[in-house]
Amino acid sequence: MGLPETTEALLLCAFDTPDPAADLAPDGALSTAAGATEVVPADDPAESELLHQARRMSLTALEAVTSATKIYDDSVPRSQLGAMLEGTAAIAEEYGLTIGVCSHAGDGNPHPVVCFDHTDPDESRRARESFDAIMALGLELGGTITGEHGVGVLKKEWLAR
């Protein structure tokens, strides 16, 4: 898609209003003030679709990093989303793993994606431990263990917490 290989984040903002360009302008200004290196308003539906395709392709890109991925679903207050992203990056560094996050930022619903080699017992262990650290972080930030996908077998021990 022509994104620089150094791209670390992509924030998509959309408004379903009569004048979305006017509604997006403050988001662009806030993004620039927060350190965005580029703000690109989509001027037409085709361009907008390309940007949304980048979001959809992010999971495929993370799956190409290694032999296995685990995608999680938790939820934090929107005011804590930055802390959740920073904390997840620290967890990735602590456990020596690549952990990408594809979020529904507007509702505080991050989806951490842990990349690991499932044939490596130590890396598989670190992936499981990083899951616990991510779940604990979400709770510490006032969130929940799920935002939209339910609890299931993977998170049942976290339900009481």
Side-chain angles (χ1 to χ4, degrees), residues 17-53:
T17 59
D19 189 4
D23 293 325
L24 285 168
D27 288 350
L30 287 169
S31 297
T32 300
T37 55
E38 189 172 0
V39 174
V40 181
D43 293 326
D44 61 60
E47 189 175 12
S48 180
E49 177 54 32
L50 279 175
L51 291 169
H52 281 87
Q53 184 179 357

PDB file of all heavy atoms in Angstrom, residues 17-53:
ATOM      1  N   THR A  17     -21.595  11.548   8.769  1.00  0.00           N
ATOM      2  CA  THR A  17     -22.307  12.812   8.982  1.00  0.00           C
ATOM      3  C   THR A  17     -22.419  13.538   7.648  1.00  0.00           C
ATOM      4  O   THR A  17     -21.744  13.169   6.674  1.00  0.00           O
ATOM      5  CB  THR A  17     -21.550  13.695   9.987  1.00  0.00           C
ATOM      6  OG1 THR A  17     -20.235  13.944   9.480  1.00  0.00           O
ATOM      7  CG2 THR A  17     -21.452  13.023  11.347  1.00  0.00           C
ATOM      8  N   PRO A  18     -23.214  14.587   7.584  1.00  0.00           N
ATOM      9  CA  PRO A  18     -23.356  15.324   6.323  1.00  0.00           C
ATOM     10  C   PRO A  18     -22.038  15.930   5.813  1.00  0.00           C
ATOM     11  O   PRO A  18     -21.830  16.038   4.621  1.00  0.00           O
ATOM     12  CB  PRO A  18     -24.361  16.429   6.668  1.00  0.00           C
ATOM     13  CG  PRO A  18     -25.149  15.883   7.802  1.00  0.00           C
ATOM     14  CD  PRO A  18     -24.189  15.036   8.585  1.00  0.00           C
ATOM     15  N   ASP A  19     -21.138  16.324   6.725  1.00  0.00           N
ATOM     16  CA  ASP A  19     -19.868  16.924   6.312  1.00  0.00           C
ATOM     17  C   ASP A  19     -18.713  16.252   7.049  1.00  0.00           C
ATOM     18  O   ASP A  19     -18.113  16.824   7.966  1.00  0.00           O
ATOM     19  CB  ASP A  19     -19.884  18.434   6.597  1.00  0.00           C
ATOM     20  CG  ASP A  19     -18.688  19.156   5.991  1.00  0.00           C
ATOM     21  OD1 ASP A  19     -17.877  18.504   5.289  1.00  0.00           O
ATOM     22  OD2 ASP A  19     -18.570  20.367   6.235  1.00  0.00           O
ATOM     23  N   PRO A  20     -18.372  15.007   6.644  1.00  0.00           N
ATOM     24  CA  PRO A  20     -17.323  14.288   7.376  1.00  0.00           C
ATOM     25  C   PRO A  20     -15.974  14.996   7.352  1.00  0.00           C
ATOM     26  O   PRO A  20     -15.233  14.920   8.329  1.00  0.00           O
ATOM     27  CB  PRO A  20     -17.250  12.930   6.686  1.00  0.00           C
ATOM     28  CG  PRO A  20     -18.085  13.011   5.471  1.00  0.00           C
ATOM     29  CD  PRO A  20     -18.938  14.225   5.561  1.00  0.00           C
ATOM     30  N   ALA A  21     -15.643  15.694   6.275  1.00  0.00           N
ATOM     31  CA  ALA A  21     -14.352  16.385   6.218  1.00  0.00           C
ATOM     32  C   ALA A  21     -14.232  17.409   7.340  1.00  0.00           C
ATOM     33  O   ALA A  21     -13.184  17.522   7.985  1.00  0.00           O
ATOM     34  CB  ALA A  21     -14.168  17.049   4.863  1.00  0.00           C
ATOM     35  N   ALA A  22     -15.298  18.140   7.588  1.00  0.00           N
ATOM     36  CA  ALA A  22     -15.275  19.127   8.673  1.00  0.00           C
ATOM     37  C   ALA A  22     -15.158  18.442  10.025  1.00  0.00           C
ATOM     38  O   ALA A  22     -14.467  18.933  10.927  1.00  0.00           O
ATOM     39  CB  ALA A  22     -16.536  19.988   8.626  1.00  0.00           C
ATOM     40  N   ASP A  23     -15.809  17.296  10.184  1.00  0.00           N
ATOM     41  CA  ASP A  23     -15.749  16.576  11.453  1.00  0.00           C
ATOM     42  C   ASP A  23     -14.382  15.933  11.666  1.00  0.00           C
ATOM     43  O   ASP A  23     -13.938  15.759  12.808  1.00  0.00           O
ATOM     44  CB  ASP A  23     -16.842  15.507  11.499  1.00  0.00           C
ATOM     45  CG  ASP A  23     -18.234  16.129  11.530  1.00  0.00           C
ATOM     46  OD1 ASP A  23     -18.386  17.197  12.143  1.00  0.00           O
ATOM     47  OD2 ASP A  23     -19.152  15.539  10.931  1.00  0.00           O
ATOM     48  N   LEU A  24     -13.695  15.560  10.587  1.00  0.00           N
ATOM     49  CA  LEU A  24     -12.391  14.920  10.689  1.00  0.00           C
ATOM     50  C   LEU A  24     -11.256  15.913  10.955  1.00  0.00           C
ATOM     51  O   LEU A  24     -10.225  15.533  11.500  1.00  0.00           O
ATOM     52  CB  LEU A  24     -12.087  14.136   9.414  1.00  0.00           C
ATOM     53  CG  LEU A  24     -12.840  12.824   9.252  1.00  0.00           C
ATOM     54  CD1 LEU A  24     -12.687  12.283   7.833  1.00  0.00           C
ATOM     55  CD2 LEU A  24     -12.363  11.801  10.265  1.00  0.00           C
ATOM     56  N   ALA A  25     -11.444  17.161  10.583  1.00  0.00           N
ATOM     57  CA  ALA A  25     -10.370  18.147  10.724  1.00  0.00           C
ATOM     58  C   ALA A  25      -9.817  18.220  12.149  1.00  0.00           C
ATOM     59  O   ALA A  25      -8.584  18.204  12.334  1.00  0.00           O
ATOM     60  CB  ALA A  25     -10.846  19.511  10.243  1.00  0.00           C
ATOM     61  N   PRO A  26     -10.662  18.274  13.182  1.00  0.00           N
ATOM     62  CA  PRO A  26     -10.105  18.306  14.548  1.00  0.00           C
ATOM     63  C   PRO A  26      -9.317  17.034  14.898  1.00  0.00           C
ATOM     64  O   PRO A  26      -8.307  17.107  15.605  1.00  0.00           O
ATOM     65  CB  PRO A  26     -11.340  18.443  15.444  1.00  0.00           C
ATOM     66  CG  PRO A  26     -12.395  19.013  14.563  1.00  0.00           C
ATOM     67  CD  PRO A  26     -12.115  18.471  13.187  1.00  0.00           C
ATOM     68  N   ASP A  27      -9.750  15.871  14.376  1.00  0.00           N
ATOM     69  CA  ASP A  27      -9.009  14.635  14.630  1.00  0.00           C
ATOM     70  C   ASP A  27      -7.614  14.706  14.013  1.00  0.00           C
ATOM     71  O   ASP A  27      -6.639  14.254  14.606  1.00  0.00           O
ATOM     72  CB  ASP A  27      -9.756  13.423  14.069  1.00  0.00           C
ATOM     73  CG  ASP A  27     -10.990  13.074  14.874  1.00  0.00           C
ATOM     74  OD1 ASP A  27     -11.185  13.641  15.964  1.00  0.00           O
ATOM     75  OD2 ASP A  27     -11.763  12.210  14.410  1.00  0.00           O
ATOM     76  N   GLY A  28      -7.527  15.278  12.818  1.00  0.00           N
ATOM     77  CA  GLY A  28      -6.228  15.448  12.177  1.00  0.00           C
ATOM     78  C   GLY A  28      -5.318  16.360  12.973  1.00  0.00           C
ATOM     79  O   GLY A  28      -4.129  16.080  13.148  1.00  0.00           O
ATOM     80  N   ALA A  29      -5.878  17.446  13.481  1.00  0.00           N
ATOM     81  CA  ALA A  29      -5.094  18.383  14.284  1.00  0.00           C
ATOM     82  C   ALA A  29      -4.611  17.718  15.578  1.00  0.00           C
ATOM     83  O   ALA A  29      -3.451  17.884  15.985  1.00  0.00           O
ATOM     84  CB  ALA A  29      -5.916  19.628  14.590  1.00  0.00           C
ATOM     85  N   LEU A  30      -5.488  16.968  16.228  1.00  0.00           N
ATOM     86  CA  LEU A  30      -5.096  16.257  17.451  1.00  0.00           C
ATOM     87  C   LEU A  30      -4.021  15.217  17.158  1.00  0.00           C
ATOM     88  O   LEU A  30      -3.078  15.041  17.940  1.00  0.00           O
ATOM     89  CB  LEU A  30      -6.309  15.583  18.091  1.00  0.00           C
ATOM     90  CG  LEU A  30      -7.306  16.508  18.778  1.00  0.00           C
ATOM     91  CD1 LEU A  30      -8.582  15.744  19.136  1.00  0.00           C
ATOM     92  CD2 LEU A  30      -6.686  17.133  20.017  1.00  0.00           C
ATOM     93  N   SER A  31      -4.155  14.516  16.049  1.00  0.00           N
ATOM     94  CA  SER A  31      -3.163  13.496  15.678  1.00  0.00           C
ATOM     95  C   SER A  31      -1.807  14.126  15.437  1.00  0.00           C
ATOM     96  O   SER A  31      -0.777  13.617  15.897  1.00  0.00           O
ATOM     97  CB  SER A  31      -3.628  12.738  14.434  1.00  0.00           C
ATOM     98  OG  SER A  31      -4.821  12.037  14.704  1.00  0.00           O
ATOM     99  N   THR A  32      -1.785  15.241  14.721  1.00  0.00           N
ATOM    100  CA  THR A  32      -0.529  15.942  14.464  1.00  0.00           C
ATOM    101  C   THR A  32       0.091  16.420  15.780  1.00  0.00           C
ATOM    102  O   THR A  32       1.290  16.259  16.009  1.00  0.00           O
ATOM    103  CB  THR A  32      -0.766  17.129  13.510  1.00  0.00           C
ATOM    104  OG1 THR A  32      -1.294  16.617  12.278  1.00  0.00           O
ATOM    105  CG2 THR A  32       0.523  17.880  13.238  1.00  0.00           C
ATOM    106  N   ALA A  33      -0.730  16.971  16.646  1.00  0.00           N
ATOM    107  CA  ALA A  33      -0.227  17.443  17.946  1.00  0.00           C
ATOM    108  C   ALA A  33       0.327  16.297  18.785  1.00  0.00           C
ATOM    109  O   ALA A  33       1.242  16.495  19.580  1.00  0.00           O
ATOM    110  CB  ALA A  33      -1.346  18.164  18.707  1.00  0.00           C
ATOM    111  N   ALA A  34      -0.208  15.089  18.594  1.00  0.00           N
ATOM    112  CA  ALA A  34       0.244  13.923  19.360  1.00  0.00           C
ATOM    113  C   ALA A  34       1.458  13.248  18.724  1.00  0.00           C
ATOM    114  O   ALA A  34       1.946  12.247  19.240  1.00  0.00           O
ATOM    115  CB  ALA A  34      -0.895  12.923  19.502  1.00  0.00           C
ATOM    116  N   GLY A  35       1.938  13.775  17.587  1.00  0.00           N
ATOM    117  CA  GLY A  35       3.155  13.230  16.998  1.00  0.00           C
ATOM    118  C   GLY A  35       2.968  12.476  15.700  1.00  0.00           C
ATOM    119  O   GLY A  35       3.922  11.865  15.206  1.00  0.00           O
ATOM    120  N   ALA A  36       1.790  12.485  15.121  1.00  0.00           N
ATOM    121  CA  ALA A  36       1.588  11.806  13.843  1.00  0.00           C
ATOM    122  C   ALA A  36       2.531  12.401  12.804  1.00  0.00           C
ATOM    123  O   ALA A  36       2.689  13.619  12.723  1.00  0.00           O
ATOM    124  CB  ALA A  36       0.138  11.940  13.382  1.00  0.00           C
ATOM    125  N   THR A  37       3.161  11.557  12.034  1.00  0.00           N
ATOM    126  CA  THR A  37       4.077  12.039  11.005  1.00  0.00           C
ATOM    127  C   THR A  37       3.339  12.411   9.727  1.00  0.00           C
ATOM    128  O   THR A  37       3.877  13.141   8.896  1.00  0.00           O
ATOM    129  CB  THR A  37       5.145  10.974  10.680  1.00  0.00           C
ATOM    130  OG1 THR A  37       4.494   9.765  10.315  1.00  0.00           O
ATOM    131  CG2 THR A  37       6.048  10.739  11.878  1.00  0.00           C
ATOM    132  N   GLU A  38       2.121  11.904   9.587  1.00  0.00           N
ATOM    133  CA  GLU A  38       1.337  12.225   8.400  1.00  0.00           C
ATOM    134  C   GLU A  38      -0.141  12.052   8.710  1.00  0.00           C
ATOM    135  O   GLU A  38      -0.535  11.098   9.377  1.00  0.00           O
ATOM    136  CB  GLU A  38       1.736  11.290   7.250  1.00  0.00           C
ATOM    137  CG  GLU A  38       1.156  11.667   5.922  1.00  0.00           C
ATOM    138  CD  GLU A  38       1.734  10.832   4.776  1.00  0.00           C
ATOM    139  OE1 GLU A  38       2.580   9.955   5.024  1.00  0.00           O
ATOM    140  OE2 GLU A  38       1.319  11.086   3.641  1.00  0.00           O
ATOM    141  N   VAL A  39      -0.942  12.973   8.234  1.00  0.00           N
ATOM    142  CA  VAL A  39      -2.388  12.885   8.338  1.00  0.00           C
ATOM    143  C   VAL A  39      -2.925  12.964   6.917  1.00  0.00           C
ATOM    144  O   VAL A  39      -2.639  13.921   6.198  1.00  0.00           O
ATOM    145  CB  VAL A  39      -2.971  14.022   9.208  1.00  0.00           C
ATOM    146  CG1 VAL A  39      -4.490  13.996   9.185  1.00  0.00           C
ATOM    147  CG2 VAL A  39      -2.458  13.904  10.641  1.00  0.00           C
ATOM    148  N   VAL A  40      -3.650  11.942   6.509  1.00  0.00           N
ATOM    149  CA  VAL A  40      -4.132  11.856   5.132  1.00  0.00           C
ATOM    150  C   VAL A  40      -5.653  11.729   5.130  1.00  0.00           C
ATOM    151  O   VAL A  40      -6.191  10.654   5.371  1.00  0.00           O
ATOM    152  CB  VAL A  40      -3.517  10.645   4.396  1.00  0.00           C
ATOM    153  CG1 VAL A  40      -4.003  10.585   2.953  1.00  0.00           C
ATOM    154  CG2 VAL A  40      -2.006  10.683   4.466  1.00  0.00           C
ATOM    155  N   PRO A  41      -6.354  12.818   4.869  1.00  0.00           N
ATOM    156  CA  PRO A  41      -7.810  12.687   4.764  1.00  0.00           C
ATOM    157  C   PRO A  41      -8.171  12.010   3.445  1.00  0.00           C
ATOM    158  O   PRO A  41      -7.608  12.324   2.401  1.00  0.00           O
ATOM    159  CB  PRO A  41      -8.315  14.136   4.782  1.00  0.00           C
ATOM    160  CG  PRO A  41      -7.119  15.016   4.678  1.00  0.00           C
ATOM    161  CD  PRO A  41      -5.889  14.180   4.759  1.00  0.00           C
ATOM    162  N   ALA A  42      -9.053  11.049   3.516  1.00  0.00           N
ATOM    163  CA  ALA A  42      -9.525  10.374   2.300  1.00  0.00           C
ATOM    164  C   ALA A  42     -10.539  11.283   1.632  1.00  0.00           C
ATOM    165  O   ALA A  42     -11.516  11.698   2.237  1.00  0.00           O
ATOM    166  CB  ALA A  42     -10.148   9.035   2.657  1.00  0.00           C
ATOM    167  N   ASP A  43     -10.270  11.589   0.375  1.00  0.00           N
ATOM    168  CA  ASP A  43     -11.131  12.524  -0.345  1.00  0.00           C
ATOM    169  C   ASP A  43     -12.274  11.855  -1.100  1.00  0.00           C
ATOM    170  O   ASP A  43     -13.163  12.533  -1.588  1.00  0.00           O
ATOM    171  CB  ASP A  43     -10.294  13.361  -1.324  1.00  0.00           C
ATOM    172  CG  ASP A  43      -9.337  14.289  -0.595  1.00  0.00           C
ATOM    173  OD1 ASP A  43      -9.706  14.781   0.492  1.00  0.00           O
ATOM    174  OD2 ASP A  43      -8.228  14.516  -1.101  1.00  0.00           O
ATOM    175  N   ASP A  44     -12.209  10.535  -1.222  1.00  0.00           N
ATOM    176  CA  ASP A  44     -13.284   9.854  -1.937  1.00  0.00           C
ATOM    177  C   ASP A  44     -13.471   8.449  -1.377  1.00  0.00           C
ATOM    178  O   ASP A  44     -12.609   7.940  -0.651  1.00  0.00           O
ATOM    179  CB  ASP A  44     -12.998   9.811  -3.446  1.00  0.00           C
ATOM    180  CG  ASP A  44     -11.723   9.054  -3.780  1.00  0.00           C
ATOM    181  OD1 ASP A  44     -11.625   7.854  -3.447  1.00  0.00           O
ATOM    182  OD2 ASP A  44     -10.808   9.652  -4.382  1.00  0.00           O
ATOM    183  N   PRO A  45     -14.576   7.803  -1.681  1.00  0.00           N
ATOM    184  CA  PRO A  45     -14.851   6.464  -1.134  1.00  0.00           C
ATOM    185  C   PRO A  45     -13.792   5.425  -1.482  1.00  0.00           C
ATOM    186  O   PRO A  45     -13.480   4.561  -0.670  1.00  0.00           O
ATOM    187  CB  PRO A  45     -16.204   6.100  -1.747  1.00  0.00           C
ATOM    188  CG  PRO A  45     -16.852   7.412  -2.044  1.00  0.00           C
ATOM    189  CD  PRO A  45     -15.727   8.334  -2.425  1.00  0.00           C
ATOM    190  N   ALA A  46     -13.196   5.499  -2.664  1.00  0.00           N
ATOM    191  CA  ALA A  46     -12.178   4.517  -3.050  1.00  0.00           C
ATOM    192  C   ALA A  46     -10.942   4.649  -2.170  1.00  0.00           C
ATOM    193  O   ALA A  46     -10.366   3.647  -1.730  1.00  0.00           O
ATOM    194  CB  ALA A  46     -11.815   4.691  -4.524  1.00  0.00           C
ATOM    195  N   GLU A  47     -10.523   5.877  -1.916  1.00  0.00           N
ATOM    196  CA  GLU A  47      -9.370   6.096  -1.045  1.00  0.00           C
ATOM    197  C   GLU A  47      -9.674   5.646   0.378  1.00  0.00           C
ATOM    198  O   GLU A  47      -8.849   5.036   1.050  1.00  0.00           O
ATOM    199  CB  GLU A  47      -8.990   7.573  -1.081  1.00  0.00           C
ATOM    200  CG  GLU A  47      -7.684   7.875  -0.385  1.00  0.00           C
ATOM    201  CD  GLU A  47      -7.269   9.325  -0.526  1.00  0.00           C
ATOM    202  OE1 GLU A  47      -8.080  10.167  -0.955  1.00  0.00           O
ATOM    203  OE2 GLU A  47      -6.115   9.619  -0.177  1.00  0.00           O
ATOM    204  N   SER A  48     -10.854   5.934   0.838  1.00  0.00           N
ATOM    205  CA  SER A  48     -11.278   5.501   2.158  1.00  0.00           C
ATOM    206  C   SER A  48     -11.246   3.980   2.258  1.00  0.00           C
ATOM    207  O   SER A  48     -10.787   3.421   3.260  1.00  0.00           O
ATOM    208  CB  SER A  48     -12.680   6.040   2.451  1.00  0.00           C
ATOM    209  OG  SER A  48     -13.102   5.633   3.721  1.00  0.00           O
ATOM    210  N   GLU A  49     -11.707   3.306   1.234  1.00  0.00           N
ATOM    211  CA  GLU A  49     -11.703   1.836   1.227  1.00  0.00           C
ATOM    212  C   GLU A  49     -10.276   1.297   1.282  1.00  0.00           C
ATOM    213  O   GLU A  49     -10.017   0.295   1.953  1.00  0.00           O
ATOM    214  CB  GLU A  49     -12.429   1.311  -0.005  1.00  0.00           C
ATOM    215  CG  GLU A  49     -12.420  -0.195  -0.145  1.00  0.00           C
ATOM    216  CD  GLU A  49     -12.930  -0.958   1.078  1.00  0.00           C
ATOM    217  OE1 GLU A  49     -13.821  -0.452   1.800  1.00  0.00           O
ATOM    218  OE2 GLU A  49     -12.430  -2.073   1.331  1.00  0.00           O
ATOM    219  N   LEU A  50      -9.321   1.939   0.618  1.00  0.00           N
ATOM    220  CA  LEU A  50      -7.922   1.499   0.679  1.00  0.00           C
ATOM    221  C   LEU A  50      -7.393   1.580   2.104  1.00  0.00           C
ATOM    222  O   LEU A  50      -6.680   0.690   2.567  1.00  0.00           O
ATOM    223  CB  LEU A  50      -7.051   2.343  -0.246  1.00  0.00           C
ATOM    224  CG  LEU A  50      -7.065   1.966  -1.713  1.00  0.00           C
ATOM    225  CD1 LEU A  50      -6.257   2.976  -2.528  1.00  0.00           C
ATOM    226  CD2 LEU A  50      -6.520   0.566  -1.922  1.00  0.00           C
ATOM    227  N   LEU A  51      -7.738   2.653   2.799  1.00  0.00           N
ATOM    228  CA  LEU A  51      -7.288   2.790   4.181  1.00  0.00           C
ATOM    229  C   LEU A  51      -7.918   1.723   5.071  1.00  0.00           C
ATOM    230  O   LEU A  51      -7.247   1.139   5.925  1.00  0.00           O
ATOM    231  CB  LEU A  51      -7.614   4.189   4.706  1.00  0.00           C
ATOM    232  CG  LEU A  51      -6.811   5.314   4.062  1.00  0.00           C
ATOM    233  CD1 LEU A  51      -7.379   6.667   4.450  1.00  0.00           C
ATOM    234  CD2 LEU A  51      -5.343   5.207   4.437  1.00  0.00           C
ATOM    235  N   HIS A  52      -9.192   1.443   4.866  1.00  0.00           N
ATOM    236  CA  HIS A  52      -9.836   0.381   5.642  1.00  0.00           C
ATOM    237  C   HIS A  52      -9.259  -0.988   5.293  1.00  0.00           C
ATOM    238  O   HIS A  52      -9.176  -1.873   6.140  1.00  0.00           O
ATOM    239  CB  HIS A  52     -11.354   0.406   5.436  1.00  0.00           C
ATOM    240  CG  HIS A  52     -12.022   1.452   6.247  1.00  0.00           C
ATOM    241  ND1 HIS A  52     -12.176   2.741   5.819  1.00  0.00           N
ATOM    242  CD2 HIS A  52     -12.533   1.414   7.502  1.00  0.00           C
ATOM    243  CE1 HIS A  52     -12.774   3.445   6.755  1.00  0.00           C
ATOM    244  NE2 HIS A  52     -12.991   2.677   7.786  1.00  0.00           N
ATOM    245  N   GLN A  53      -8.833  -1.157   4.047  1.00  0.00           N
ATOM    246  CA  GLN A  53      -8.200  -2.418   3.655  1.00  0.00           C
ATOM    247  C   GLN A  53      -6.894  -2.619   4.421  1.00  0.00           C
ATOM    248  O   GLN A  53      -6.560  -3.738   4.799  1.00  0.00           O
ATOM    249  CB  GLN A  53      -7.950  -2.430   2.153  1.00  0.00           C
ATOM    250  CG  GLN A  53      -7.389  -3.747   1.654  1.00  0.00           C
ATOM    251  CD  GLN A  53      -7.181  -3.745   0.144  1.00  0.00           C
ATOM    252  OE1 GLN A  53      -7.508  -2.785  -0.546  1.00  0.00           O
ATOM    253  NE2 GLN A  53      -6.633  -4.816  -0.359  1.00  0.00           N
TER     254      GLN A  53
END
